[in-house]
Coordinates of all heavy atoms in Angstrom, one line a residue:
A15 N 20.2 -49.9 -104.4 CA 21.3 -50.8 -104.1 C 21.1 -52.2 -104.5 O 20.1 -52.8 -104.4 CB 21.5 -50.8 -102.5
L16 N 22.2 -52.8 -105.2 CA 22.2 -54.2 -105.5 C 23.0 -54.8 -104.3 O 24.2 -54.6 -104.4 CB 22.9 -54.4 -106.9 CG 22.1 -53.7 -108.0 CD1 22.9 -54.2 -109.4 CD2 20.7 -54.0 -108.2
A17 N 22.4 -55.5 -103.5 CA 23.0 -56.1 -102.4 C 24.0 -57.2 -102.7 O 23.5 -58.2 -103.3 CB 22.0 -56.6 -101.3
T18 N 25.2 -57.2 -102.3 CA 26.2 -58.2 -102.6 C 26.8 -58.5 -101.2 O 26.2 -58.4 -100.2 CB 27.2 -57.7 -103.6 OG1 28.2 -58.8 -103.8 CG2 27.9 -56.4 -103.2
M22 N 32.8 -60.6 -102.1 CA 32.8 -60.5 -103.5 C 34.0 -59.5 -103.9 O 33.8 -58.4 -103.6 CB 31.5 -60.2 -104.1 CG 30.4 -61.2 -104.0 SD 30.5 -62.5 -105.3 CE 30.1 -61.6 -106.8
T23 N 34.9 -60.0 -104.5 CA 36.0 -59.0 -104.9 C 35.8 -58.3 -106.2 O 36.4 -57.3 -106.5 CB 37.3 -59.9 -105.2 OG1 37.1 -60.9 -106.2 CG2 37.7 -60.6 -103.9
S24 N 34.7 -58.7 -107.0 CA 34.3 -58.0 -108.2 C 32.9 -58.3 -108.5 O 32.4 -59.4 -108.1 CB 35.3 -58.3 -109.4 OG 35.2 -59.7 -109.6
P25 N 32.2 -57.5 -109.2 CA 30.8 -57.8 -109.6 C 30.7 -59.2 -110.4 O 31.5 -59.4 -111.2 CB 30.3 -56.6 -110.3 CG 31.3 -55.5 -110.2 CD 32.6 -56.2 -109.8
D26 N 29.6 -59.8 -110.2 CA 29.4 -61.1 -111.1 C 28.8 -60.5 -112.4 O 28.5 -59.4 -112.5 CB 28.5 -62.1 -110.3 CG 27.0 -61.7 -110.4 OD1 26.7 -60.5 -110.7 OD2 26.2 -62.6 -110.1
I27 N 28.7 -61.4 -113.3 CA 28.2 -61.0 -114.7 C 26.9 -60.5 -114.7 O 26.6 -59.5 -115.4 CB 28.4 -62.2 -115.7 CG1 28.2 -61.7 -117.0 CG2 27.5 -63.3 -115.3 CD1 28.7 -62.7 -118.2
D28 N 26.0 -61.1 -113.8 CA 24.6 -60.4 -113.8 C 24.7 -59.0 -113.4 O 24.0 -58.1 -113.9 CB 23.8 -61.3 -112.8 CG 23.2 -62.5 -113.4 OD1 23.3 -62.7 -114.6 OD2 22.7 -63.4 -112.6
E29 N 25.4 -58.7 -112.3 CA 25.4 -57.4 -111.7 C 26.0 -56.4 -112.8 O 25.6 -55.3 -113.0 CB 26.2 -57.4 -110.5 CG 25.5 -58.1 -109.4 CD 26.5 -58.3 -108.1 OE1 27.7 -58.3 -108.3 OE2 25.9 -58.6 -107.0
T30 N 27.1 -56.8 -113.4 CA 27.7 -56.0 -114.5 C 26.7 -55.6 -115.5 O 26.6 -54.5 -116.0 CB 28.9 -56.7 -115.1 OG1 29.9 -57.1 -114.0 CG2 29.7 -55.9 -116.1
L31 N 26.1 -56.7 -116.0 CA 25.0 -56.4 -117.1 C 23.9 -55.6 -116.6 O 23.4 -54.6 -117.4 CB 24.4 -57.8 -117.7 CG 25.5 -58.5 -118.3 CD1 24.9 -59.9 -118.6 CD2 26.0 -57.9 -119.6
I32 N 23.4 -55.8 -115.4 CA 22.2 -54.9 -114.9 C 22.7 -53.5 -114.7 O 22.0 -52.5 -115.1 CB 21.8 -55.5 -113.5 CG1 21.0 -56.8 -113.8 CG2 20.8 -54.5 -112.8 CD1 20.6 -57.5 -112.6
L33 N 24.0 -53.3 -114.1 CA 24.4 -51.9 -113.9 C 24.5 -51.2 -115.2 O 24.3 -49.9 -115.3 CB 25.7 -51.9 -113.2 CG 25.7 -52.4 -111.7 CD1 27.0 -52.6 -111.2 CD2 24.9 -51.4 -110.8
N34 N 24.8 -51.8 -116.3 CA 24.9 -51.2 -117.6 C 23.6 -50.5 -118.0 O 23.5 -49.6 -118.8 CB 25.4 -52.1 -118.7 CG 26.9 -52.5 -118.6 OD1 27.6 -51.7 -118.0 ND2 27.2 -53.7 -119.1
H35 N 22.5 -51.1 -117.5 CA 21.1 -50.7 -117.9 C 20.4 -50.1 -116.8 O 19.2 -49.7 -116.9 CB 20.3 -51.9 -118.5 CG 21.0 -52.5 -119.7 ND1 20.8 -52.0 -120.9 CD2 21.8 -53.6 -119.8 CE1 21.4 -52.7 -121.8 NE2 22.0 -53.7 -121.2
L36 N 21.1 -49.9 -115.6 CA 20.3 -49.3 -114.4 C 21.3 -48.3 -113.8 O 21.9 -48.6 -112.7 CB 20.0 -50.5 -113.5 CG 18.9 -50.2 -112.4 CD1 17.6 -49.9 -113.1 CD2 18.8 -51.3 -111.5
P37 N 21.6 -47.1 -114.4 CA 22.6 -46.3 -114.0 C 22.3 -45.7 -112.5 O 23.2 -45.2 -111.9 CB 22.6 -45.1 -115.0 CG 21.2 -45.2 -115.7 CD 21.0 -46.7 -115.6
E38 N 21.1 -45.8 -112.1 CA 20.8 -45.3 -110.7 C 21.0 -46.3 -109.7 O 20.8 -46.0 -108.5 CB 19.2 -44.9 -110.7 CG 18.3 -46.0 -111.0 CD 17.8 -46.2 -112.4 OE1 18.7 -46.1 -113.3 OE2 16.6 -46.3 -112.6
A39 N 21.7 -47.4 -110.0 CA 21.9 -48.5 -109.0 C 23.5 -48.5 -108.8 O 24.3 -48.1 -109.6 CB 21.5 -49.8 -109.6
E40 N 23.8 -49.1 -107.6 CA 25.2 -49.3 -107.2 C 25.2 -50.6 -106.4 O 24.2 -51.0 -105.8 CB 25.7 -48.1 -106.4 CG 25.0 -47.8 -105.2 CD 25.6 -46.5 -104.5 OE1 25.5 -45.5 -105.2 OE2 25.9 -46.6 -103.3
L41 N 26.5 -51.1 -106.3 CA 26.6 -52.3 -105.4 C 26.8 -51.9 -103.9 O 27.4 -50.8 -103.7 CB 27.9 -53.1 -105.9 CG 27.8 -53.6 -107.3 CD1 29.2 -54.3 -107.6 CD2 26.6 -54.6 -107.4
A42 N 26.2 -52.7 -103.0 CA 26.4 -52.3 -101.6 C 26.3 -53.7 -100.9 O 25.5 -54.6 -101.1 CB 25.3 -51.5 -101.1
R60 N 21.0 -59.5 -104.4 CA 21.5 -60.1 -105.6 C 22.5 -61.2 -105.2 O 22.2 -62.3 -105.1 CB 22.1 -59.1 -106.6 CG 21.0 -58.2 -107.3 CD 19.9 -59.1 -107.9 NE 20.5 -60.1 -108.8 CZ 20.2 -61.4 -108.8 NH1 19.4 -61.8 -107.9 NH2 20.8 -62.3 -109.5
S61 N 23.8 -60.8 -105.1 CA 24.8 -61.8 -104.8 C 25.3 -61.9 -103.4 O 26.5 -61.8 -103.0 CB 26.0 -61.5 -105.7 OG 26.6 -60.1 -105.5
W63 N 25.8 -64.2 -101.6 CA 26.1 -65.7 -101.7 C 26.6 -66.4 -100.3 O 26.7 -67.5 -100.3 CB 27.1 -66.0 -102.8 CG 26.4 -65.8 -104.1 CD1 25.0 -65.7 -104.4 CD2 27.0 -65.5 -105.4 NE1 24.8 -65.5 -105.6 CE2 26.1 -65.4 -106.3 CE3 28.4 -65.4 -105.7 CZ2 26.3 -65.1 -107.7 CZ3 28.6 -65.1 -107.1 CH2 27.6 -65.0 -108.0
P275 N 19.6 -65.9 -106.7 CA 19.9 -66.7 -107.8 C 20.7 -66.0 -109.0 O 20.5 -64.9 -109.3 CB 18.6 -67.1 -108.4 CG 17.7 -65.9 -108.1 CD 18.2 -65.4 -106.8
S276 N 21.7 -66.7 -109.5 CA 22.2 -66.3 -110.8 C 21.1 -66.3 -111.8 O 20.4 -67.3 -111.9 CB 23.4 -67.2 -111.2 OG 24.4 -67.1 -110.3
L277 N 20.9 -65.3 -112.6 CA 20.0 -65.2 -113.6 C 20.4 -65.5 -115.0 O 19.6 -65.5 -116.0 CB 19.4 -63.7 -113.5 CG 18.8 -63.3 -112.2 CD1 18.3 -61.9 -112.2 CD2 17.6 -64.2 -111.9
F278 N 21.7 -65.7 -115.2 CA 22.3 -66.1 -116.4 C 21.8 -65.2 -117.6 O 21.4 -65.6 -118.7 CB 21.9 -67.6 -116.8 CG 22.1 -68.5 -115.7 CD1 21.2 -69.3 -115.2 CD2 23.3 -68.5 -115.0 CE1 21.4 -70.3 -114.1 CE2 23.6 -69.4 -114.0 CZ 22.6 -70.2 -113.5
L279 N 22.0 -63.9 -117.3 CA 21.4 -62.8 -118.2 C 22.3 -62.9 -119.5 O 21.8 -62.5 -120.5 CB 21.6 -61.5 -117.6 CG 20.7 -61.3 -116.3 CD1 21.0 -59.9 -115.7 CD2 19.2 -61.5 -116.6
Q280 N 23.5 -63.4 -119.5 CA 24.4 -63.4 -120.6 C 23.9 -64.4 -121.7 O 24.4 -64.3 -122.7 CB 25.8 -63.7 -120.2 CG 26.1 -65.2 -119.8 CD 25.8 -65.6 -118.4 OE1 25.0 -64.9 -117.7 NE2 26.3 -66.7 -118.0
A285 N 18.0 -59.8 -122.0 CA 17.6 -60.3 -120.6 C 18.1 -59.2 -119.6 O 17.4 -58.9 -118.6 CB 18.2 -61.6 -120.3
A286 N 19.2 -58.6 -119.8 CA 19.7 -57.6 -118.9 C 18.7 -56.3 -118.8 O 18.5 -55.8 -117.8 CB 21.1 -57.1 -119.3
E287 N 18.3 -55.9 -120.0 CA 17.3 -54.8 -120.0 C 16.0 -55.2 -119.4 O 15.5 -54.4 -118.6 CB 17.0 -54.4 -121.5 CG 18.2 -53.9 -122.3 CD 19.0 -54.9 -123.1 OE1 19.1 -56.1 -122.7 OE2 19.4 -54.6 -124.2
A289 N 15.8 -57.3 -116.9 CA 16.0 -57.4 -115.5 C 16.0 -56.0 -115.0 O 15.4 -55.7 -113.9 CB 17.4 -58.0 -115.2
A290 N 16.6 -55.0 -115.6 CA 16.7 -53.7 -115.1 C 15.3 -53.0 -115.1 O 15.0 -52.4 -114.1 CB 17.6 -52.9 -116.1
I293 N 13.4 -54.4 -112.1 CA 13.9 -53.9 -110.9 C 13.3 -52.4 -110.7 O 12.9 -52.1 -109.7 CB 15.4 -53.8 -110.8 CG1 15.9 -55.2 -110.6 CG2 16.0 -52.9 -109.6 CD1 17.4 -55.4 -110.7
R294 N 13.4 -51.7 -111.8 CA 12.9 -50.2 -111.8 C 11.4 -50.2 -111.4 O 11.0 -49.3 -110.7 CB 13.3 -49.6 -113.1 CG 13.1 -48.1 -113.0 CD 13.5 -47.5 -114.4 NE 15.0 -47.4 -114.5 CZ 15.6 -48.1 -115.5 NH1 15.1 -48.8 -116.4 NH2 17.0 -47.9 -115.5

Side-chain angles (χ1 to χ4, degrees):
L16 303 183
T18 180
M22 288 281 289
T23 57
S24 60
D26 76 345
I27 189 168
D28 281 345
E29 292 167 341
T30 299
L31 292 172
I32 290 172
L33 289 169
N34 287 339
H35 299 279
L36 199 66
E38 60 269 48
E40 62 186 50
L41 298 179
R60 289 307 310 129
S61 57
W63 288 338
S276 294
L277 300 174
F278 311 127
L279 301 177
Q280 75 276 19
E287 294 95 326
I293 290 171
R294 193 175 282 118

